Amino acid sequence: MKSDIRVCSAWRDRHDRPVYSLSETCPECGAPTENSAPAPYNPEDPYGEYRRARKRRLAEESE
């Protein structure tokens, strides 16, 4: 899912706080904006295998 809320890509250098916008450019400094949402998962997640196994066990128990 793509987030509509974007954040100024240069806010650390140009602003005191993050500047959010819905447009492709920052309304205060004109720098490009980037997606503000975090990645949905980390492919290098060391606990993902355990979480999926637990989810399968819970699904089997509820059947």
Side-chain angles (χ1 to χ4, degrees):
M1 179 171 102
K2 182 181 174 191
S3 174
D4 290 334
I5 300 174
R6 302 175 66 82
V7 66
C8 177
S9 61
W11 76 265
R12 289 176 184 85
D13 299 329
R14 299 182 185 178
H15 309 289
D16 295 333
R17 58 177 177 70
V19 176
Y20 296 96
S21 174
L22 296 175
S23 69
E24 296 289 322
T25 58
C26 175
E28 294 184 15
C29 69
T33 57
E34 55 191 23
N35 189 352
S36 65
Y41 69 96
N42 180 357
E44 298 172 359
D45 182 9
Y47 301 106
E49 178 183 344
Y50 301 110
R51 220 180 353 272
R52 289 186 292 276
R54 180 174 182 266
K55 187 175 182 179
R56 283 192 296 270
R57 274 196 316 271
L58 290 173
E60 290 171 359
E61 290 174 1
S62 66
E63 291 177 353

